[in-house]
């Protein structure tokens, strides 16, 4: 049994591998063909079985009706003892399919009518069950019926009939033979038509896929070419538009033109993916696949251009890195002189008067303070402080941070949403550093949002983790900058060290957690911090 099972599994695996190696065109062709064969066999079987069942039911109804009529007609023949008339009736009923024998006796059990003439004149045993109606089935699947013949309430004889299930089935099989032949011939003709239609349909479906395959092969040879789409239509033709100053006027694939996309979004409030022009140009799923491929090609071209540009700037980045290291050293060296400048400025403010002097000393103080903050950021990133883990409530820590920015958020006409999970238990974390990380994220959200936007702070417990979500509905981060946001010294602001998010990532990782950004360009930014609950 195990050997047979192994052989069976081996054959199935080999067949499965062969099917996988078939081309899509052949798979489509054989799929249609297999589906038709299954449907054809199923329909043929249903038709034949229904016909056989109906015919068999009709035969049984006819037999029951004939037997009932025979039992009534035999009354007069038994009373007046007319064996010839009984024999004629038996012979007539026996011509119907399925009847194995018919026997009629008088009240004494003598057989006066029988389909087998040799049984005439013999007697059957008179028992109590001869006076009632009954039926039984023997091992040969012959159903025996006993019907007492009554003249009023007087018993004058009995009618016994044998109905053969085998003979009925033979009759039904012979009768439906022609129907089976007709169905077979019709199935052969339909099969031929299906093969032809399946072949043509598979060719039609595979043609655009073949083009797409060729274009994808060209990628390996650095030939980035768009795949031709026969269904492509122009925006101006669909809408009968005569606005020649439109960015999309007379151009194919308006959804690839940035200005056209923005115009449709702002003027018509419609996204390209929901546009009738785009849907008509795609047509079906293969069309959508072709246009997705074309979009990928354009993005790939753009990526190669950016990669080429990045390669040219590689030397600049290396120089910048060296300069950053030098800046760390310089920052450390100038911190003390900077403090001396601040102290000297404070002394001059206290001991000397004059509006002009006061104004310039204030400028010196302000700029010295800004330089001090930059230097502190450099030193903090270069020499991170070890974690000071203490047990506390993360929600309370976040409340402390929110209090620092809540007033400014409200004064700017922005909305602050807070949703904290009260089921989070107290656990160990560095209160100061984690607060600083969240504050950096909130400050970034404040810078990226305008009046009417919202900033949300959410906490939730997920298994053995705490997730802190800071999201906003601001401008978001351009897609091309998403992979750079955690890099040291990278910033999109005109001021700042570019170390804020780099410090946030370091603090989170020092806690054994992770930080992920979900960005929707021009629709906001979401940062998710996940920290392990260390009880």
């Amino acid at each position: 049994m195990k050997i047979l099972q192994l052989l069976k599994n081996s054959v199935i695996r080999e067949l499965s591998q062969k099917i996988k190696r078939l081309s899509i065109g052949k798979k489509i062709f054989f799929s249609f063909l297999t589906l038709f064969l299954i449907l054809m066999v199923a329909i043929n079987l249903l038709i034949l079985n229904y016909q056989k069942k109906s015919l068999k039911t009709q035969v049984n109804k006819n037999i029951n009706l004939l037997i009932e009529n025979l039992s009534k007609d035999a009354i007069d023949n038994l009373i007046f003892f007319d064996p010839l008339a009984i024999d004629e009736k038996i012979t007539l009923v026996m011509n119907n399919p399925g009847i194995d024998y018919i026997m009629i006796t008088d009240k004494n059990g003598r057989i006066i009518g029988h389909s087998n003439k040799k049984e005439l004149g013999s007697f059957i045993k008179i028992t109590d069950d001869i006076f009632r109606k009954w039926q039984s089935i023997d091992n040969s699947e012959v159903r025996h019926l006993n019907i007492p013949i009554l003249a009023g309430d007087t018993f004058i004889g009995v009618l016994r009939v044998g109905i053969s299930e085998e003979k009925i089935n033979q009759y039904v099989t012979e009768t439906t033979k022609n129907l089976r032949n007709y169905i077979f011939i019709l199935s052969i003709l339909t099969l031929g038509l299906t093969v032809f239609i399946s072949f043509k349909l598979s060719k039609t479906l595979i043609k655009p896929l073949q083009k797409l395959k060729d274009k994808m092969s060209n990628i390996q040879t650095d030939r980035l070419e768009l795949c031709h789409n026969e269904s492509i239509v122009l925006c101006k033709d669909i809408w009968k538009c005569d606005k020649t100053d439109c960015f999309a006027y007379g151009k194919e694939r308006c959804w690839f033109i940035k200005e056209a996309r923005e115009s449709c979004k702002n003027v018509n409030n419609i996204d390209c993916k929901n546009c009738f022009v785009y849907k008509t140009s795609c047509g079906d799923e293969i069309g959508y696949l072709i246009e997705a491929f074309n979009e990928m090609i354009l993005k790939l071209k753009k990526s190669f251009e950016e990669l080429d540009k990045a390669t040219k700037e590689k030397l600049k980045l290396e120089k910048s890195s060296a300069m950053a290291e030098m800046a760390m050293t310089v920052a450390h060296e100038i911190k003390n002189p900077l403090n001396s400048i601040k102290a000297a400025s404070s002394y001059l403010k206290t001991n000397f008067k004059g509006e002009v002097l006061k104004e310039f000393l204030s400028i010196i103080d302000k700029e010295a303070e800004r330089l001090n903050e930059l230097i502190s950021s450099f030193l903090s990133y270069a020499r991170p402080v070890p974690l000071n883990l203490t047990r506390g409530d993360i929600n309370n820590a976040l409340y402390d941070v929110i209090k620092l920015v809540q007033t400014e958020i409200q004064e700017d006409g922005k909305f602050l949403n807070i949703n904290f999970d009260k089921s989070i238990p107290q656990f160990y974390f560095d209160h100061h550093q984690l607060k600083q990380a969240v504050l950096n994220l909130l400050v970034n959200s404040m810078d990226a949002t305008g009046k009417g936007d919202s900033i949300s702070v959410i906490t939730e417990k997920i298994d053995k983790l705490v997730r802190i979500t800071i999201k906003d509905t601001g401008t978001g981060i351009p897609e091309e900058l998403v992979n750079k946001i955690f890099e040291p010294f990278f910033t999109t602001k005109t001021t700042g060290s570019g170390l804020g998010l780099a410090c946030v990532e370091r603090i989170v990782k020092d806690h054994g957690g992770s930080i992920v950004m979900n960005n929707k360009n021009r629709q906001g930014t979401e940062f998710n911090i996940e920290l392990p609950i260390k009880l």
Side-chain angles (χ1 to χ4, degrees):
M1 290 298 291
K2 291 184 178 180
I3 295 175
L4 291 175
Q5 186 66 31
L6 289 173
L7 288 173
K8 181 180 178 182
N9 293 338
S10 176
V11 171
I12 292 174
R13 282 197 299 270
E14 184 177 354
L15 182 61
S16 176
Q17 291 298 324
K18 287 183 178 180
I19 293 174
K20 288 180 180 179
R21 287 193 291 268
L22 290 175
S23 65
I24 294 180
K26 290 181 179 179
K27 286 179 181 177
I28 293 174
F29 173 76
F30 285 116
S31 296
F32 279 117
L33 198 58
T34 302
L35 180 62
F36 168 77
L37 289 174
I38 293 173
L39 288 174
M40 184 177 67
V41 171
I43 291 172
N44 289 350
L45 289 175
L46 285 173
I47 292 174
L48 286 173
N49 288 336
Y50 176 78
Q51 188 64 24
K52 286 181 178 180
K53 187 176 180 181
S54 299
L55 187 58
K56 189 174 181 179
T57 301
Q58 188 61 43
V59 168
N60 283 318
K61 285 183 178 180
N62 291 339
I63 290 174
N64 291 333
L65 182 61
L66 289 170
I67 292 172
E68 184 178 350
N69 291 335
L70 180 60
S71 66
K72 293 178 180 178
D73 294 342
I75 295 175
D76 292 338
N77 301 125
L78 285 173
I79 293 174
F80 297 105
F81 191 71
D82 189 354
L84 291 177
I86 291 176
D87 184 67
E88 289 178 0
K89 290 182 173 60
I90 290 175
T91 302
L92 184 63
V93 175
M94 281 297 297
N95 290 330
N96 288 274
I99 299 179
D100 190 57
Y101 71 88
I102 298 177
M103 177 182 68
I104 296 178
T105 70
D106 59 14
K107 63 181 179 179
N108 298 318
R110 185 178 63 172
I111 300 174
I112 60 175
H114 203 292
S115 55
N116 184 0
K117 300 298 187 293
K118 294 180 180 180
E119 298 293 333
L120 293 174
S122 58
F123 287 84
I124 64 172
K125 188 175 181 180
I126 302 297
T127 58
D128 291 340
D129 61 355
I130 201 172
F131 300 107
R132 61 182 177 82
K133 189 175 182 179
W134 53 263
Q135 68 175 358
S136 64
I137 301 175
D138 60 19
N139 295 332
S140 301
E141 292 189 354
V142 175
R143 181 159 53 96
H144 303 277
L145 297 179
N146 183 86
I147 303 173
I149 302 174
L150 303 174
D153 294 333
T154 305
F155 175 76
I156 60 174
V158 67
L159 169 63
R160 284 190 180 175
V161 180
I163 302 171
S164 174
E165 191 71 20
E166 182 180 356
K167 289 182 178 181
I168 293 176
N169 291 335
Q170 288 178 353
Y171 171 76
V172 170
T173 301
E174 287 296 325
T175 305
T176 56
K177 184 177 180 180
N178 289 335
L179 176 62
R180 187 169 62 250
N181 292 338
Y182 291 145
I183 291 177
F184 178 75
I185 294 171
L186 183 61
S187 298
I188 294 296
L189 295 175
T190 309
L191 177 62
L193 181 61
T194 302
V195 169
F196 176 76
I197 294 175
S198 299
F199 178 76
K200 288 293 184 182
L201 189 58
S202 63
K203 284 291 184 181
T204 303
L205 292 175
I206 204 65
K207 186 178 179 181
L209 287 177
Q210 186 63 46
K211 291 181 181 179
L212 187 60
K213 175 188 172 184
D214 295 339
K215 295 299 180 182
M216 293 182 71
S217 299
N218 291 341
I219 296 177
Q220 299 177 356
T221 59
D222 295 333
R223 292 167 55 194
L224 303 180
E225 300 173 347
L226 297 182
C227 184
H228 177 63
N229 185 359
E230 297 178 354
S231 302
I232 205 78
V233 294
L234 301 181
C235 180
K236 72 178 185 66
D237 295 335
I238 289 289
W239 305 119
K240 306 299 180 184
C241 178
D242 57 357
K243 295 181 180 179
T244 56
D245 58 338
C246 177
F247 296 104
Y249 187 83
K251 297 179 181 178
E252 289 187 351
R253 297 183 173 90
C254 53
W255 48 90
F256 289 157
I257 304 172
K258 181 180 178 182
E259 295 81 0
R261 291 201 308 267
E262 292 177 351
S263 176
C264 282
K265 188 71 175 177
N266 297 330
V267 177
N268 301 319
N269 194 27
I270 186 171
D271 187 74
C272 287
K273 303 300 181 182
N274 299 321
C275 179
F276 183 71
V277 177
Y278 177 77
K279 292 180 179 180
T280 304
S281 296
C282 291
D284 54 15
E285 286 77 5
I286 297 178
Y288 281 100
L289 181 61
I290 289 175
E291 290 310 314
F293 170 81
N294 289 336
E295 185 176 3
M296 181 194 72
I297 289 295
L298 292 178
K299 289 183 178 179
L300 198 57
K301 284 183 177 180
K302 185 177 180 181
S303 297
F304 282 159
E305 291 172 359
E306 292 177 353
L307 182 61
D308 183 59
K309 187 184 294 184
T311 303
K312 293 178 181 178
E313 294 180 356
K314 183 178 179 181
L315 183 59
K316 293 181 180 179
L317 292 175
E318 291 176 352
K319 290 181 180 179
S320 298
S321 178
M323 291 177 65
E325 293 180 7
M326 183 179 67
M328 293 292 183
T329 304
V330 172
H332 182 74
E333 293 297 329
I334 67 175
K335 191 170 181 67
N336 289 334
L338 188 61
N339 289 334
S340 298
I341 292 173
K342 291 181 66 177
S345 175
S346 178
Y347 175 80
L348 291 173
K349 271 187 177 182
T350 304
N351 296 281
F352 294 92
K353 305 298 181 181
E355 292 299 324
V356 176
L357 180 63
K358 183 177 180 181
E359 180 181 352
F360 280 101
L361 289 175
S362 297
I363 293 174
I364 292 172
D365 274 345
K366 182 178 179 182
E367 294 303 319
E369 183 63 31
R370 190 163 70 89
L371 285 173
N372 190 55
E373 290 178 359
L374 289 174
I375 292 168
S376 298
S377 297
F378 289 151
L379 294 176
S380 175
Y381 184 77
R383 294 184 305 174
V385 179
L387 294 180
N388 179 23
L389 300 178
T390 56
R391 188 181 176 90
D393 189 323
I394 188 67
N395 292 333
N396 290 340
L398 295 180
Y399 271 125
D400 293 339
V401 178
I402 291 171
K403 289 176 183 177
L404 299 176
V405 297
Q406 187 172 13
T407 302
E408 185 176 350
I409 291 174
Q410 293 174 349
E411 288 177 350
D412 291 342
K414 304 170 187 176
F415 299 96
L416 179 63
N417 302 317
I418 302 173
N419 186 6
F420 288 168
D421 186 351
K422 302 297 183 181
S423 66
I424 300 175
Q426 291 188 357
F427 63 97
Y428 284 93
F429 60 93
D430 189 314
H431 288 62
H432 174 71
Q433 293 199 44
L434 196 57
K435 285 180 180 180
Q436 185 62 49
V438 174
L439 180 61
N440 286 349
L441 294 176
L442 285 174
V443 169
N444 286 346
S445 292
M446 291 167 62
D447 292 339
T449 52
K451 186 176 181 180
D453 288 328
S454 64
I455 299 173
S456 301
V457 183
I458 304 168
T459 63
E460 57 181 328
K461 183 176 180 295
I462 303 175
D463 296 330
K464 296 182 180 180
L465 297 174
V466 170
R467 176 180 290 173
I468 303 171
T469 301
I470 293 95
K471 62 181 180 178
D472 60 66
T473 58
T475 57
I477 301 174
E479 289 296 329
E480 62 272 14
L481 302 180
V482 168
N483 295 328
K484 300 180 180 180
I485 60 172
F486 292 112
E487 293 180 3
F489 308 108
F490 175 78
T491 180
T492 57
K493 303 176 184 178
T494 56
T495 60
S497 63
L499 293 171
L501 289 177
C503 289
V504 171
E505 184 182 42
R506 178 185 57 76
I507 292 171
V508 171
K509 287 185 176 180
D510 287 347
H511 279 80
S514 62
I515 180 169
V516 178
M517 188 202 71
N518 298 318
N519 178 61
K520 294 182 179 179
N521 195 12
R522 302 192 180 187
Q523 296 183 22
T525 306
E526 176 181 302
F527 285 91
N528 289 315
I529 298 174
E530 291 188 351
L531 301 174
I533 299 177
K534 298 177 181 179
L535 301 175

